[in-house]
Amino acid sequence: MDGIVSFANKILDPLIQLGAAPMMTIVLTLFAWAFGVKFSKALSGGLKLGIAITGVGAIMNILTTSFSNALQEFVANTGLSLNVTDVGWSPLATITWGSPYTLFFMLVLLIVNAIMIFTNKTNTFDVDIFDIWHLSITGLFAMFLGANLFWTTLLVVFIGVLKIINSDLMKPTFNDLLDAPDDNPMTTTHMNYMMNPIAMFLNKIYDKVFFWLDRYDFDSATLNNKIGFWGSKFAIGIYLGFFVGILAGISFKDMLTLGFTAGVCLELFSVIGQWFIESVEPLSQGVTNFATKHFEGRQFNIGLDWPFIAGRAEIWASANVLAPIMLLEALILPKNGILPLGGIIAMGLTPALLVVTRGKIIRMIVIGAVLLPAFLYSGTLIAPAVTEMAKSVGAFPENLPASSLISHSTLEGPIEKFVAYFFGNATTGDMKMIIYAVIAIAIYLALFIWYAREMKKRNAEYAAKKQNN
């Protein structure tokens, strides 16, 4: 397999070195061109996607930095300390792409996606290949624990197949959340939505135990219709900025700045989300024409990065409320070693909560608070592996002592990290770990199968509703 790894790196590495935005510009342009779209139109879509990705990154950086700085004030005031530094997602992406195995996993998953399409196991073209690093880091963690490349590849393919199936399952919900027609091609294969099964399980418990809270629940559209500006994204950002500012004990002036920053970021996400929608239109038309000609009109989906749904204010409202909750949980949870700073805006969780609850903010916050410890423990668990990988590829932060551990508090796919932990240890021959790995994988798969059935029921409801209308 070393020859395949070398081949994948030789072919794909120059593309990866360009960075996420240029890489995805090229990928979307070539995909659209390959499906018969005029090159100039394909390029315009690709450029819009690159601009959208850059915009999301810039706004996320502003939002994360603003809230991290405020919460660092809170930490400084309390004198608290934990031993794992939360560096956020960007350094981890750099570290993961520094491994030659990430490009190999990308090549394998592209082949798997093609096989699934031609065997009618999925309708989704996964064009969001940059974010394959979220799955790759799970495989690299298993390898760190002892798994060889063959077994690790099987684990990556197993999760990757479920991830692509999930993109089909979520498609009608995205249409509903975006108020889009059935021929809207957008879905996502992003790793953060692999939290859907466990979030849905907790949502069912919520139905039984906390159903009475639904009378107080709302989504951003309902709130906006009732009270106008005071329910807008601007206003929600200001409320939450003030809330975090009070928690941090910062000055009134800084509190105003934080509130206005949060407000403008939430509103800009809505604008940038529209850029994602526009960027995929040329490819969508090309895929539609191709399907009509070669697949008897079969409708295909396009798997994008998650922010095409970022215009929904519930994602940011819940994320900003969950930020101080996560900080509190980090301080009181036994065996947790990570202080959430770089990942304080929980994008590894809130998009999944939006899909599962369909935008009910109180549900998102309650279920999110229950799930956040999984992220904190996952971040703590992988810290030794991440630190060693960072040093091996020369990406360890220069401003940290060499003895420090680094990780990410809200890294996508925490459940998969636990599966990888048992899987990696099982490949060493430890019988106890083999049993644990079998149990973990069995539960993981069973939960996904149950979730898939629930989503199919929901999708049937969507179809029936449209038929009645």
Side-chain angles (χ1 to χ4, degrees), residues 83-85 383 387-388 391 396-397 399-406:
N83 68 333
V84 180
T85 301
T387 304
E388 183 175 297
K391 291 178 177 178
F396 187 80
N399 60 329
L400 293 178
S403 60
S404 299
L405 292 172
I406 63 171

Side-chain angles (χ1 to χ4, degrees), residues 58-172:
I59 300 303
M60 274 298 298
N61 185 56
I62 293 170
L63 194 61
T64 301
T65 301
S66 300
F67 276 80
S68 292
N69 290 340
L71 289 170
Q72 279 178 325
E73 290 287 331
F74 171 78
V75 172
N77 292 339
T78 58
L80 295 164
S81 178
L82 293 169
N83 68 333
V84 180
T85 301
D86 177 12
V87 295
W89 73 268
S90 185
L92 263 71
T94 301
I95 292 163
T96 305
W97 281 115
S99 167
Y101 297 110
T102 298
L103 289 168
F104 167 71
F105 294 143
M106 176 196 285
L107 179 62
V108 169
L109 289 171
L110 287 173
I111 294 170
V112 167
N113 186 206
I115 292 171
M116 291 178 70
I117 287 170
F118 282 103
T119 57
N120 207 21
K121 301 302 181 185
T122 184
N123 290 318
T124 298
F125 288 97
D126 184 7
V127 302
D128 185 25
I129 59 176
F130 179 81
D131 283 320
I132 282 174
W133 77 266
H134 291 109
L135 182 49
S136 175
I137 199 170
T138 301
L140 294 175
F141 180 47
M143 293 183 76
F144 173 81
L145 295 168
N148 62 29
L149 182 57
F150 174 77
W151 286 107
T152 300
T153 302
L154 289 182
L155 177 66
V156 168
V157 169
F158 168 66
I159 298 172
V161 167
L162 298 185
K163 195 162 66 87
I164 292 171
I165 292 171
N166 190 36
S167 67
D168 292 317
L169 293 170
M170 293 186 292
K171 178 66 169 50

